Amino acid sequence: MLGLSMPTDIPWRKIAVSEDMIARPGAAAPPQWRSSLVVFGYEPPEEEQLDDATTVSYVKVVASITGFQPDPTQTGFGDRRAYRSFQDPLLFEEYERAATAYYGCYGALLDVAITPGGPLAQAQQVALADYPYIADFEPKKRELYELVSETGEAMSRSLESVNVRKGSTTSQSHEVLDQLAVSAGVTGGTAAVQGNAGVTHTSGTKDLSGESYENVRTTDAGREFRETFSHTTQLSQLYHQLSSYHLGTNRAVFFVLPRPHIVQTASTFVDGPRVLEGVQEFFLVVVRPRGQVAPCVEATLETAHLADTPGELAYERSTGTLALHVEQPAPAHPNTLSDDSVFADRSDSATYTPPEGWEIDLDRVGEVAATAPAGVSSELEALEQLIDSLEELGFAVPPELQAAAAAAPAVAVRRATTAARRRAVRASQSAGIAGGSPVGGRFDVGPGLLDGIGVPAPRPDLGAVPAFPPAGGTRGYRIDALSGRNVVAHGVTADLDHVVASATVRGEYIDESMSLDDRSITGVLDLAATVFIRRRQPVVVSREQTLYLTSRTVTSCSARAAANPATANTSVTYEQPLSGLPVVQRGASMSIIDANRVRARIGEELPRSVNHPARYPRGVVRFSDTEFVARSIVRLLPATAHPDNGSGAAVLKGLPPALSKKVLQAAPGISRRRLLVVPLGELADRLAISIEEAAALRRAALGLETPPSSKAATWDRPTKVGSKQVATRPPRRSADPTPPPPKTAGSRATGARAPRQPRS
């Protein structure tokens, strides 16, 4: 009867479905933007089976391919706990941007496996020769041919019919195509302007095989169908590039890529590669040994998506000024025949605090532009004063100083003075002249060098400002002017919230010997600095691009589905940065050439991901566990003190106690940033935990393992930029290791000088 019956339209029966996409009464609707899979099956009755040794059955896999939008229950937005995960609004906004975006689909890979049915232990004992296999499938290949046409045909739809011949194992396809051509033109002359436009619609059919006859014959179409076809069905197609693999095994792989841009528009710009959207159906003919139970059909769909993360950051920068003046005159003194020398110290400081929403820019390193002591216009002038004084007193002028004075340019003076000054000071001290001290890397050779003439035991001379700053410059500020005399101590400290300059100077009355005049020395320090500041919140000026794959699996064997985590929900199986390519952002244009380059790179990465060592197991890594989401946060989270960069047990809240204990034993001071920056595989290996536990650590670092403390608190958004909550950061270590004097600003200290030798 099979040979004379009309072809049967296959009555498909659903055998597997993505259960999370099923709408349930009284429950929230499933997410719209998530790919899904449905598997249908049909086994012809016994009387239609032509081979006594085998059983033929038909399988149809329907893939609804869409973009991907993360599950709010997994990203912390379903119960609003994500709103309390970060204090810094910039971090929260970047996480919200990543976790709520819609990611278009730029490629798909469908893997269909037909394995022996029945209990798993029994199926594993089946010999490979008795495995079911795929005798045929449709579609097999869909290529793209570029047609150069002035009328600009555009493909609108594709509907393919699939028929199964009487042998029950061979299929024939018939594809219906629509074409639409639009043309327009304008012609003009001196007298009139003429326009013309036209629309042409063409419908036709395309057969994968065809025959032509020169003779005319009459056929009975109904009888021909009865004698040729046994079953028939229709497949919906996406008109995109498709390739298929592994016909004849128990596994079929279908690779779908969006078609490239082939016709350049007038502007030659597009918003990126084409996306895959719609329903794609696959038809398979399955053969198994007669008497074997129905096989298990497992279908896995992986879709490719592009995500962008922060790249280069830019801060709005500005400057402030910091000035400090400390002065202490020589104190009053008695007038006796004994040594009446006395001194008084004064300490003071000045603080620069940036405006609200700004911070000290510790990434900028300043320099020192020191000036000579007060009263000395230049180093050359100071050097000349020293030589004149030595000559007046009858001392020999060292040759080094004479050579330095002969070099008129100030630069030459600075170079020569550095080495010569040390020897000159020693020579002067041996003659009763106390030396000076360096000023910001230069040397004070001013009038103060003559202080102390006639002292039998030269005292330690405070001189001018000590050497400043340390090697490497200053962080967060620049010294513009620095001068002084009789400086006891000075220093500048800088952290994110302020810059403090402080100093202690000494005023002295020195009771000299009978042959010399007494001296009154005023201690003074003048400092002027430029403070570098920047806004706390940077601006993202460029973004980087990552390709990631989402995966979902369905199986017709429910017992095996319970043991397979891949069937529970959508997971991420692979991610890889795409460097050297323009970043695809919806609403932003790129050239057609660049769009096709991105598409070609995706086409390379999809097959490469299958056996890549960095691939994640299916069903383990959620969207929030991915490295590109972590990079979005880490890029904006500095390694130094930050209110969102906790450490230790504070970043492990919500984890099982055993896991927390294990992590803290291996890394007691592990920080939130460290948990986010280390790849999952490395994190698992270094802490001796599983990849599932490493993913849980990543979620804990994002604050997604601990439920919010109260429903009311979930409505408190992160504080606005520049608020006290964000601005209150632990101070960084001082950028200048020279500590300020430990005295209260404006304090004074007085005392008598150490006793000298009796006068002569």
Side-chain angles (χ1 to χ4, degrees), residues 49-114:
Q49 300 290 342
L50 300 182
D51 188 358
D52 295 338
T54 59
T55 299
V56 177
S57 58
Y58 307 128
V59 173
K60 182 169 72 169
V61 180
V62 181
S64 296
I65 301 176
T66 71
F68 176 74
Q69 192 169 30
D71 188 347
T73 62
Q74 294 183 0
T75 57
F77 286 94
D79 54 10
R80 301 184 63 82
R81 81 181 74 178
Y83 291 95
R84 305 303 302 161
S85 296
F86 302 98
Q87 297 181 48
D88 193 329
L90 186 64
L91 297 183
F92 170 76
E93 289 168 5
E94 188 61 38
Y95 177 68
E96 182 183 37
R97 182 182 187 275
T100 59
Y102 175 82
Y103 299 93
C105 177
Y106 296 97
L109 194 66
L110 178 68
D111 191 339
V112 181
I114 312 293

XYZ file of all heavy atoms in Angstrom, residues 49-114:
518
model
N 7.744 0.552 7.006
C 9.183 0.310 7.086
C 9.574 -0.701 6.017
O 9.052 -1.819 5.968
C 9.545 -0.226 8.488
C 9.202 0.706 9.627
C 10.091 1.943 9.665
O 11.164 1.976 9.064
N 9.598 2.973 10.354
N 10.494 -0.329 5.118
C 10.829 -1.167 3.971
C 11.962 -2.148 4.254
O 12.091 -3.151 3.555
C 11.220 -0.277 2.790
C 10.140 0.710 2.316
C 10.641 1.493 1.123
C 8.851 -0.030 1.968
N 12.789 -1.881 5.251
C 13.938 -2.734 5.545
C 13.657 -3.508 6.823
O 13.373 -2.912 7.872
C 15.202 -1.884 5.688
C 16.460 -2.716 5.809
O 16.355 -3.954 5.829
O 17.556 -2.118 5.905
N 13.765 -4.823 6.728
C 13.481 -5.645 7.899
C 14.550 -5.522 8.979
O 14.305 -5.880 10.134
C 13.352 -7.121 7.489
C 12.153 -7.362 6.582
O 11.220 -6.514 6.637
O 12.157 -8.350 5.823
N 15.755 -5.034 8.627
C 16.845 -4.980 9.602
C 16.955 -3.627 10.295
O 17.678 -3.501 11.288
C 18.173 -5.297 8.918
N 16.290 -2.618 9.780
C 16.423 -1.279 10.356
C 15.058 -0.632 10.521
O 14.073 -1.034 9.896
C 17.293 -0.381 9.463
O 16.691 -0.281 8.167
C 18.702 -0.934 9.331
N 15.060 0.393 11.351
C 13.874 1.225 11.567
C 14.237 2.659 11.229
O 15.257 3.181 11.693
C 13.390 1.136 13.017
O 13.043 -0.212 13.323
C 12.186 2.035 13.240
N 13.412 3.274 10.400
C 13.642 4.652 9.974
C 12.708 5.565 10.755
O 11.511 5.269 10.904
C 13.406 4.809 8.465
C 13.570 6.269 8.048
C 14.358 3.923 7.678
N 13.259 6.663 11.258
C 12.448 7.679 11.941
C 12.919 9.056 11.486
O 14.028 9.202 10.948
C 12.551 7.548 13.463
O 13.902 7.659 13.883
N 12.077 10.043 11.719
C 12.371 11.404 11.276
C 12.438 12.323 12.490
O 11.664 12.182 13.449
C 11.312 11.908 10.303
C 11.087 10.976 9.138
C 9.803 10.538 8.807
C 12.155 10.527 8.363
C 9.593 9.687 7.744
C 11.957 9.677 7.297
C 10.674 9.246 6.993
O 10.470 8.386 5.946
N 13.365 13.260 12.425
C 13.565 14.234 13.504
C 13.603 15.623 12.889
O 14.247 15.842 11.863
C 14.869 13.954 14.281
C 15.146 15.075 15.283
C 14.807 12.611 14.985
N 12.917 16.547 13.524
C 12.983 17.956 13.116
C 13.381 18.785 14.330
O 12.741 18.728 15.373
C 11.647 18.441 12.561
C 11.711 19.904 12.084
C 10.493 20.319 11.288
C 9.265 20.476 12.162
N 8.147 21.122 11.427
N 14.468 19.534 14.177
C 14.948 20.423 15.230
C 14.629 21.857 14.821
O 15.030 22.309 13.742
C 16.461 20.255 15.466
C 16.929 21.202 16.565
C 16.793 18.812 15.817
N 13.909 22.553 15.672
C 13.516 23.930 15.409
C 14.303 24.830 16.355
O 14.171 24.719 17.582
C 12.009 24.134 15.601
C 11.632 25.586 15.285
C 11.220 23.169 14.734
N 15.106 25.691 15.782
C 15.909 26.629 16.572
C 15.367 28.029 16.374
O 15.356 28.542 15.250
C 17.378 26.566 16.154
N 14.900 28.628 17.451
C 14.502 30.036 17.422
C 15.720 30.856 17.831
O 16.125 30.844 19.002
C 13.336 30.290 18.376
O 12.198 29.575 17.965
N 16.312 31.526 16.885
C 17.561 32.233 17.114
C 17.271 33.709 17.330
O 16.676 34.376 16.479
C 18.521 32.037 15.925
C 18.819 30.548 15.730
C 19.814 32.816 16.136
C 19.684 30.239 14.532
N 17.658 34.202 18.484
C 17.499 35.618 18.816
C 18.791 36.110 19.456
O 19.747 35.365 19.653
C 16.337 35.840 19.802
O 16.705 35.325 21.090
C 15.082 35.145 19.329
N 18.791 37.377 19.802
C 19.871 37.898 20.613
C 19.742 37.388 22.036
O 18.874 36.558 22.359
N 20.603 37.874 22.894
C 20.625 37.411 24.285
C 20.509 38.595 25.224
O 21.185 39.613 25.055
C 21.919 36.654 24.570
C 22.070 36.226 26.012
C 21.330 35.168 26.510
C 22.950 36.883 26.859
C 21.464 34.776 27.826
C 23.092 36.498 28.174
C 22.344 35.441 28.659
N 19.629 38.449 26.203
C 19.519 39.425 27.280
C 19.630 38.674 28.601
O 18.893 37.713 28.839
C 18.198 40.181 27.206
C 18.155 41.402 28.113
C 16.955 42.282 27.819
O 15.915 41.790 27.388
N 17.092 43.573 28.045
N 20.577 39.055 29.475
C 20.812 38.291 30.709
C 19.565 38.186 31.578
O 18.696 39.065 31.579
C 21.915 39.086 31.410
C 22.594 39.845 30.315
C 21.523 40.163 29.323
N 19.514 37.084 32.321
C 18.395 36.820 33.225
C 18.502 37.741 34.437
O 19.504 37.711 35.157
C 18.444 35.360 33.662
C 17.206 34.962 34.458
O 16.437 35.853 34.869
O 17.016 33.747 34.680
N 17.498 38.576 34.728
C 17.583 39.482 35.882
C 17.753 38.746 37.206
O 18.346 39.291 38.143
C 16.254 40.249 35.832
C 15.788 40.118 34.421
C 16.271 38.784 33.951
N 17.239 37.523 37.304
C 17.386 36.782 38.559
C 18.828 36.340 38.790
O 19.210 36.046 39.923
C 16.470 35.553 38.564
O 16.851 34.666 37.492
C 15.022 35.962 38.363
N 19.625 36.283 37.732
C 21.020 35.888 37.872
C 21.954 37.082 38.015
O 23.048 36.946 38.554
C 21.460 35.057 36.667
C 20.766 33.716 36.540
C 21.289 32.912 35.362
O 22.172 33.343 34.644
N 20.729 31.729 35.157
N 21.542 38.230 37.545
C 22.408 39.408 37.599
C 22.120 40.305 38.792
O 22.797 41.325 38.969
C 22.246 40.234 36.314
O 20.862 40.595 36.155
C 22.702 39.430 35.103
N 21.125 39.961 39.618
C 20.841 40.748 40.806
C 19.846 41.859 40.603
O 19.574 42.620 41.535
N 19.255 41.963 39.414
C 18.277 43.013 39.173
C 16.850 42.523 39.382
O 15.935 43.337 39.465
C 18.443 43.571 37.757
C 19.650 44.439 37.602
C 20.847 43.916 37.151
C 19.604 45.780 37.935
C 21.971 44.700 37.017
C 20.730 46.581 37.808
C 21.915 46.041 37.355
N 16.674 41.206 39.450
C 15.331 40.689 39.705
C 14.846 41.034 41.095
O 13.700 41.462 41.285
N 15.697 40.858 42.106
C 15.337 41.214 43.481
C 16.024 42.499 43.932
O 16.038 42.813 45.119
C 15.700 40.083 44.439
C 17.156 39.663 44.326
O 17.913 40.371 43.646
O 17.519 38.636 44.913
N 16.649 43.216 42.994
C 17.232 44.541 43.203
C 18.440 44.529 44.139
O 18.860 45.576 44.625
C 16.172 45.520 43.732
C 14.979 45.696 42.819
C 14.041 46.749 43.355
N 14.675 48.054 43.405
C 14.800 48.886 42.375
N 14.302 48.536 41.198
N 15.392 50.044 42.494
N 19.021 43.378 44.382
C 20.199 43.363 45.250
C 21.394 44.039 44.570
O 22.319 44.496 45.240
C 20.553 41.932 45.641
C 21.328 41.162 44.600
C 21.636 39.757 45.034
N 20.448 38.924 44.980
C 20.448 37.629 45.269
N 21.555 37.042 45.651
N 19.339 36.925 45.196
N 21.387 44.078 43.225
C 22.504 44.695 42.511
C 22.634 46.177 42.825
O 23.722 46.745 42.702
C 22.334 44.498 41.003
N 21.528 46.802 43.252
C 21.586 48.230 43.535
C 22.395 48.539 44.788
O 22.736 49.692 45.032
C 20.169 48.783 43.677
C 19.415 48.804 42.373
C 18.569 47.767 42.019
C 19.570 49.860 41.481
C 17.884 47.775 40.809
C 18.891 49.884 40.270
C 18.049 48.830 39.948
O 17.390 48.849 38.755
N 22.677 47.530 45.597
C 23.482 47.738 46.793
C 24.842 47.070 46.681
O 25.565 46.944 47.667
C 22.749 47.197 48.030
C 21.361 47.772 48.230
C 21.388 49.281 48.319
N 22.231 49.758 49.403
C 22.711 50.995 49.494
N 22.452 51.866 48.552
N 23.452 51.342 50.522
N 25.217 46.628 45.487
C 26.478 45.920 45.323
C 27.672 46.866 45.253
O 28.793 46.457 45.544
C 26.446 45.059 44.051
O 25.471 44.052 44.154
N 27.434 48.117 44.854
C 28.532 49.051 44.665
C 28.189 50.380 45.318
O 27.028 50.802 45.321
C 28.823 49.279 43.178
C 29.150 48.022 42.425
C 28.173 47.369 41.690
C 30.424 47.484 42.466
C 28.464 46.207 41.007
C 30.728 46.325 41.783
C 29.744 45.677 41.060
N 29.199 51.027 45.866
C 29.038 52.376 46.394
C 29.352 53.423 45.328
O 28.711 54.461 45.268
C 29.960 52.586 47.600
C 29.669 51.683 48.777
C 30.588 51.963 49.938
O 30.772 53.111 50.328
N 31.177 50.924 50.501
N 30.340 53.138 44.518
C 30.731 54.062 43.463
C 29.716 53.985 42.326
O 29.531 52.924 41.729
C 32.125 53.690 42.955
C 32.734 54.788 42.090
O 31.961 55.497 41.415
O 33.962 54.930 42.093
N 29.045 55.075 41.999
C 28.011 55.014 40.948
C 28.560 54.639 39.587
O 27.855 54.051 38.779
C 27.411 56.427 40.958
C 28.443 57.285 41.595
C 29.160 56.427 42.588
N 29.818 54.982 39.311
C 30.374 54.644 38.005
C 30.476 53.132 37.836
O 30.184 52.596 36.758
C 31.750 55.287 37.837
C 32.383 55.123 36.452
C 31.543 55.839 35.412
C 33.802 55.655 36.447
N 30.881 52.427 38.888
C 30.952 50.972 38.818
C 29.571 50.378 38.629
O 29.368 49.451 37.834
C 31.595 50.419 40.084
C 33.043 50.818 40.357
C 33.548 50.129 41.614
C 33.928 50.479 39.181
N 28.602 50.892 39.363
C 27.245 50.365 39.226
C 26.692 50.616 37.829
O 26.075 49.728 37.228
C 26.323 50.996 40.268
C 24.870 50.679 40.035
C 24.359 49.436 40.357
C 24.025 51.612 39.455
C 23.032 49.132 40.115
C 22.701 51.314 39.211
C 22.203 50.074 39.547
N 26.905 51.798 37.288
C 26.371 52.111 35.965
C 26.982 51.210 34.901
O 26.295 50.792 33.966
C 26.634 53.584 35.642
C 25.793 54.546 36.469
C 26.270 55.979 36.349
O 27.195 56.218 35.546
O 25.737 56.843 37.068
N 28.272 50.898 35.029
C 28.906 50.022 34.051
C 28.374 48.600 34.175
O 28.135 47.927 33.168
C 30.420 50.042 34.233
C 31.175 49.317 33.139
C 30.951 49.919 31.766
O 30.864 51.152 31.647
O 30.853 49.139 30.787
N 28.180 48.137 35.410
C 27.611 46.795 35.594
C 26.171 46.746 35.103
O 25.754 45.788 34.444
C 27.681 46.395 37.064
C 27.034 45.051 37.341
C 27.600 43.878 36.857
C 25.849 44.955 38.056
C 27.014 42.642 37.090
C 25.251 43.731 38.294
C 25.835 42.582 37.813
O 25.240 41.361 38.028
N 25.401 47.775 35.392
C 24.012 47.826 34.924
C 23.969 47.837 33.398
O 23.117 47.181 32.786
C 23.326 49.066 35.490
C 21.858 49.178 35.105
C 21.236 50.448 35.633
O 21.927 51.482 35.640
O 20.065 50.414 36.043
N 24.878 48.546 32.785
C 24.931 48.597 31.323
C 25.180 47.222 30.733
O 24.555 46.831 29.744
C 26.043 49.563 30.892
C 26.199 49.761 29.413
C 27.374 50.707 29.121
N 27.449 51.052 27.714
C 28.054 50.327 26.791
N 28.635 49.195 27.132
N 28.074 50.722 25.535
N 26.099 46.473 31.341
C 26.423 45.142 30.828
C 25.319 44.134 31.112
O 25.013 43.272 30.281
C 27.742 44.658 31.424
N 24.715 44.234 32.300
C 23.775 43.202 32.738
C 22.370 43.383 32.190
O 21.549 42.458 32.299
C 23.723 43.160 34.265
N 22.065 44.526 31.615
C 20.709 44.759 31.105
C 20.674 44.968 29.598
O 19.608 45.233 29.048
C 20.088 45.984 31.799
O 20.912 47.137 31.549
C 19.981 45.766 33.306
N 21.812 44.849 28.941
C 21.864 45.118 27.505
C 21.264 43.958 26.712
O 21.125 42.837 27.206
C 23.312 45.361 27.069
N 20.912 44.253 25.477
C 20.489 43.237 24.519
C 21.644 43.004 23.556
O 22.129 43.932 22.910
C 19.246 43.687 23.754
C 18.829 42.730 22.651
C 18.080 41.594 22.939
C 19.198 42.970 21.328
C 17.709 40.718 21.932
C 18.821 42.103 20.318
C 18.083 40.976 20.625
O 17.720 40.104 19.624
N 22.100 41.758 23.478
C 23.255 41.408 22.655
C 22.772 40.644 21.418
O 22.250 39.530 21.539
C 24.237 40.554 23.449
C 24.787 41.247 24.678
C 24.184 41.104 25.925
C 25.904 42.060 24.586
C 24.685 41.746 27.043
C 26.419 42.707 25.693
C 25.801 42.545 26.927
O 26.304 43.184 28.033
N 22.925 41.254 20.258
C 22.505 40.615 19.022
C 23.283 39.345 18.743
O 24.399 39.141 19.232
N 22.702 38.470 17.940
C 23.327 37.195 17.580
C 24.043 37.358 16.237
O 23.445 37.796 15.258
C 22.274 36.090 17.502
S 22.945 34.500 16.980
N 25.317 36.971 16.213
C 26.128 37.120 15.010
C 26.640 35.784 14.483
O 27.533 35.762 13.640
C 27.308 38.037 15.293
C 26.891 39.442 15.633
C 26.784 39.855 16.958
C 26.584 40.352 14.639
C 26.391 41.137 17.283
C 26.194 41.646 14.944
C 26.095 42.030 16.275
O 25.701 43.305 16.579
N 26.086 34.698 14.940
C 26.485 33.376 14.462
C 25.860 32.313 15.340
O 25.521 32.557 16.504
N 25.668 31.121 14.787
C 25.042 30.032 15.542
C 25.683 28.713 15.151
O 26.071 28.504 13.990
C 23.536 29.993 15.302
N 25.765 27.836 16.112
C 26.321 26.499 15.914
C 25.370 25.509 16.578
O 25.177 25.546 17.795
C 27.715 26.406 16.537
C 28.576 25.207 16.159
C 28.945 25.257 14.680
C 29.844 25.187 17.008
N 24.746 24.644 15.775
C 23.803 23.648 16.286
C 24.439 22.272 16.206
O 24.903 21.852 15.144
C 22.502 23.677 15.487
C 21.458 22.633 15.903
C 20.907 22.924 17.292
C 20.320 22.571 14.881
N 24.449 21.593 17.332
C 25.023 20.252 17.429
C 23.898 19.295 17.809
O 23.298 19.427 18.880
C 26.130 20.231 18.485
C 26.944 18.944 18.440
O 26.433 17.948 17.914
O 28.081 18.949 18.948
N 23.587 18.337 16.935
C 22.520 17.353 17.179
C 23.167 15.976 17.299
O 23.882 15.537 16.385
C 21.471 17.358 16.048
C 20.371 16.351 16.351
C 20.891 18.761 15.871
N 22.946 15.326 18.410
C 23.505 13.992 18.657
C 22.371 12.990 18.825
O 21.417 13.239 19.572
C 24.391 14.004 19.896
N 22.471 11.863 18.143
C 21.493 10.780 18.239
C 22.201 9.606 18.911
O 23.119 9.009 18.343
C 20.970 10.356 16.854
C 20.560 11.590 16.022
C 19.829 9.373 16.996
C 19.375 12.329 16.544
